[in-house]
Amino acid sequence: MQLTLWTYEGPPHVGAMRIATAMKGLHYVLHAPQGDTYADLLFTMIERRNARPPVTYTTFQARDLGGDTAELFKTACASAYERFQPQAMIVGASCTAELIQDDPGGLAKALALPVPVIPLELPSYQKKENWGASETFYQVVRNLAAPRSPDTEFNPRSCNILGPTALGFRHRDDLTEITRLLQGLGITVNVVAPLNATPDDIRRLGDAAFNVVLYPETAETAARWLERNCKQPMTTVVPLGVSATREFIRQVAELAGIDATAFLAEEASRLPWYSRSVDSTYLTGKRVFIFGDATHALAAARIAKEELGFDVVGLGTYSREFARPMREAAAKLGIDALITDDYLEVEAKVAELQPELVLGTQMERHIAKKLGVPCAVISAPVHVQDFPARYSPQMGFEGANVIFDSWVHPLMMGLEEHLIHMFRNDFEFNDKAAPSHLGHGGAAPAKAHSPATDSAVVASPKPASGGWSPEAEKELQKVPFFVRGKARRNTERFAAERGLAIITVETLYDAKAHYSR
C-alpha cells in the first residue's frame, strides 16, 4: 500500500458496496471506523443516485478500541435487520476494521437472523475494488443460486445477463442496449444481476439456458461457478465495437440454437460506413495510447486498430488479474503492455510515446490535458460527467456510434483549434478584432491569452529545454497538432545524429526535408 494523490481502484469493500447498491433487498453491514462513510459520496455525488447505498456502518471511534467493538458490530447488525427487513445480508470489514480481527461473519451468524447472512473475506491489503466486487457477487451467487428444478419449464432461448453494477461505466445504458439486442434475436432475459436484482432473483439464475457476461471483472468468477454447478455455458465475447458485437450475436445465437443471419444483415451502426468513406483518411495512422480496465482497454485496442485504422502505440491496464490477456493483445500489436496501478508510470509512458489521442480513465483525462493531447474516457474510474443523463451506451451497435463520436470529436475539435491558431493574425481572426456577429461597431475584446506569445519558451532569450531555440519552438507551434509530436521527435533525432546542441528554425526545416525524401 502506498500514499498517492489518485487511485484507479478503491479498497475491496467499495467493490462490495457496488454490488449491494446495485441490488434490491440486500443490505451490507460494514464494520468500519468513523470516516469510512466517505464511500457513500461515490454513489450519490458521482453516479447521481437518488438514494444512499444500503450500507450500515458500525462507525467505531478511537475510544471504542479499548472496549468491545465486537458488541458494536452485533448491535449494528441486529438494528440493520430490524430497520430495513432485507431478504439477505452481507457482512464484512473495511481495511481499518480488518486489523482488529473481530470476525464479522462469525458474529453475524451467532445472531441467528431469519435471513441468509453471507460473510465476506476481502483482504484489503492484497486486493482492490474490482476484485472485491467480483468476490462479493460470487459469494452471493454461491450462497443463493441453485440448479434448475426438474419442475421448472426449460426455455433453451433464455439467458441471464451478468455483470452490471452500481458505479459502473455506462452499465445502465449498456444493459438497455444489450437487452434490446437479445430481444431482437428472440432470446428471453431471465435475470439481470447484480443491477436491480433481488436475492430471490439470484435464486432463479439456474433456470436460464446460458449466461451473458458483460463485464468479466465483475461477473466471470460467478459465471464460472454457474457453469460448473448449474451446467450453464457462458459468453466469452464482450460486445464493444461493431466487429465484437457481430461476434457476440453469433455466439449467443449458437448458444440459443437460432439462426442470426437475417438479424446480422441489418447494419445498425454508422461507424463502418464512416470508416469506409473518404473522410476516414483523416483517422488513418493516428497514434493512440490506451489504458483502463482490461475489458474496455482490450476492446478499445481492437476498435482502434481494426475499425478506425489507428496505430496503437501503447496499451495497458490497472487490472492485474487480467494481465495475461492484456500482454497477449499487446504482443499482437508489437508493443509491451503496461500493467500498473501507478498513474505516474502511465503519465511517463504517455509523455514518452507522444500519442495523438489518449483513450483512458479520468486520470488519463488529466494527464492528457497536462500534456496537451486530445483524450476520450473509455473506462472507470470516471467522474460525474461520465454518468450522462442522456442515453449513451458503449456496447452494441448504438454503443459503437457513441464510441466513434467520443473518440473522433476530440481530434476534430483539436483540428479546429489549430486552424484558429494558424489564422490568428488574419484581419478577421486576430485578437484585436471584434466578434464577427457584432459587426464593425462592436467593441474590441480585451487581449486574449495566446500560448504562442505568453509562453515562457517564447519569451525567454535562452534556448528552451531539450536544445530548442525560442524561434524554433515558435515555428514548431505552426505545425498541426496532430503531427507536431512526430515533427518534434524527428527533429530531435536529426539534431542528435548530427551533434547539434541547439535546434534552430533551419534545423527544423532541414529535418523536415530529410524525412520527406
Side-chain angles (χ1 to χ4, degrees):
M1 181 175 287
Q2 65 183 63
L3 186 64
T4 182
L5 176 64
W6 286 338
T7 181
Y8 287 100
E9 297 182 85
H13 75 263
V14 173
M17 287 182 65
R18 288 174 53 193
I19 303 301
T21 306
M23 293 183 63
K24 299 176 180 178
L26 180 71
H27 197 82
Y28 186 17
V29 180
L30 181 61
H31 201 21
Q34 189 177 40
D36 273 3
T37 54
Y38 74 90
D40 281 15
L41 294 176
L42 297 173
F43 301 90
T44 56
M45 183 185 75
I46 295 180
E47 195 179 7
R48 302 174 179 174
R49 296 185 72 90
N50 58 2
R52 64 176 296 274
V55 181
T56 293
Y57 302 88
T58 56
T59 58
F60 59 82
Q61 301 177 49
R63 64 173 178 265
D64 297 319
L65 295 177
D68 192 351
T69 53
E71 191 62 33
L72 283 176
F73 177 82
K74 289 194 291 184
T75 301
C77 205
S79 298
Y81 173 74
E82 290 297 326
R83 179 181 178 185
F84 299 105
Q85 294 291 305
Q87 296 178 20
M89 298 175 69
I90 53 178
V91 297
S94 71
C95 46
T96 309
E98 184 182 330
L99 298 174
I100 59 178
Q101 300 180 335
D102 274 338
D103 184 20
L107 294 171
K109 185 177 180 180
L111 292 173
L113 297 174
V115 295
V117 178
I118 303 167
L120 301 177
E121 296 290 339
L122 306 178
S124 300
Y125 298 95
Q126 290 83 38
K127 299 293 184 179
K128 293 196 173 182
E129 180 182 331
N130 278 340
W131 184 91
S134 176
E135 177 67 12
T136 301
F137 185 47
Y138 162 67
Q139 291 296 342
V140 169
V141 169
R142 182 181 178 184
N143 280 271
L144 299 179
R148 178 176 57 88
S149 169
D151 300 330
T152 304
E153 183 179 353
F154 178 65
N155 180 2
R157 296 184 179 182
S158 64
C159 71
N160 302 310
I161 298 179
L162 306 181
T165 71
L167 206 65
F169 180 62
R170 309 291 171 85
H171 286 197
R172 176 197 63 193
D173 295 344
D174 284 350
L175 177 59
T176 300
E177 186 68 18
I178 297 307
T179 300
R180 184 181 300 160
L181 186 152
L182 292 169
Q183 290 173 344
L185 287 166
I187 297 173
T188 301
V189 177
N190 177 51
V191 170
V192 175
L195 190 62
N196 296 324
T198 65
D200 286 342
D201 291 330
I202 300 298
R203 293 184 176 94
R204 297 191 296 108
L205 285 174
D207 296 345
F210 62 95
N211 291 309
V212 170
V213 177
L214 293 188
Y215 308 100
E217 283 90 348
T218 305
E220 185 174 338
T221 303
R224 295 290 182 195
W225 186 89
L226 290 167
E227 189 174 44
R228 293 190 304 270
N229 293 275
C230 297
K231 310 305 178 188
Q232 293 173 318
M234 56 181 278
T235 60
T236 55
V237 178
V238 179
L240 281 162
V242 175
S243 298
T245 298
R246 296 176 71 85
E247 286 183 20
F248 172 80
I249 290 170
R250 283 190 284 267
Q251 188 175 51
V252 296
E254 182 179 351
L255 291 172
I258 60 178
D259 184 2
T261 304
F263 190 87
L264 286 167
E266 300 178 9
E267 187 59 77
S269 176
R270 298 179 182 89
L271 188 153
W273 168 83
Y274 190 92
S275 294
R276 293 191 295 266
S277 72
V278 65
D279 288 344
S280 70
T281 56
Y282 172 70
L283 305 176
T284 304
K286 293 295 182 190
R287 293 167 51 84
V288 61
F289 176 89
I290 301 169
F291 193 88
D293 69 45
T295 294
H296 288 90
L298 289 170
R302 179 177 179 179
I303 296 168
K305 184 69 175 179
E306 300 178 8
E307 299 179 18
L308 293 174
F310 289 159
D311 180 16
V312 180
V313 297
L315 177 62
T317 183
Y318 56 81
S319 304
R320 294 185 180 275
E321 294 84 0
F322 293 82
R324 179 176 294 178
M326 184 62 65
R327 290 192 176 99
E328 291 173 354
K332 291 178 182 178
L333 294 167
I335 57 179
D336 294 327
L338 178 62
I339 312 297
T340 183
D341 57 4
D342 186 345
Y343 71 93
L344 293 175
E345 287 186 37
V346 179
E347 181 175 343
K349 197 66 176 178
V350 175
E352 173 194 338
L353 295 173
Q354 296 185 2
E356 295 158 277
L357 176 66
V358 171
L359 303 175
T361 73
Q362 172 73 1
M363 258 78 97
E364 282 66 50
R365 193 207 311 263
H366 288 292
I367 290 169
K369 183 177 181 180
K370 177 180 178 181
L371 298 175
V373 181
C375 178
V377 172
I378 63 164
S379 161
V382 295
H383 208 350
V384 63
Q385 64 264 49
D386 295 303
F387 287 98
R390 68 185 184 280
Y391 183 61
S392 187
Q394 297 286 286
M395 292 186 176
F397 292 123
E398 184 58 27
N401 290 334
V402 173
I403 286 173
F404 175 80
D405 287 343
S406 302
W407 296 11
V408 173
H409 287 176
L411 291 171
M412 295 297 188
M413 292 307 295
L415 176 61
E416 180 178 295
E417 290 171 6
H418 170 72
L419 291 174
I420 291 174
H421 179 74
M422 202 164 83
F423 290 101
R424 68 183 312 109
N425 293 321
D426 184 89
F427 75 94
E428 189 175 1
F429 294 104
N430 71 76
D431 291 335
K432 294 182 180 179
S436 57
H437 68 281
L438 296 179
H440 297 294
K447 184 177 180 181
H449 170 80
S450 170
T453 57
D454 293 351
S455 168
V457 170
V458 176
S460 173
K462 298 179 182 180
S465 60
W468 286 76
S469 70
E471 295 78 12
E473 276 282 6
K474 187 175 181 179
E475 193 70 13
L476 182 65
Q477 297 307 309
K478 297 179 181 179
V479 178
F481 83 97
F482 45 85
V483 291
R484 192 178 301 148
K486 183 177 181 180
R488 179 184 288 276
R489 290 192 303 275
N490 285 348
T491 305
E492 289 175 351
R493 183 169 61 183
F494 179 85
E497 290 173 351
R498 285 154 182 77
L500 302 177
I502 298 175
I503 295 173
T504 64
V505 174
E506 289 74 17
T507 311
L508 177 63
Y509 284 102
D510 286 346
K512 178 183 177 183
H514 174 77
Y515 288 107
S516 296
R517 294 172 186 168

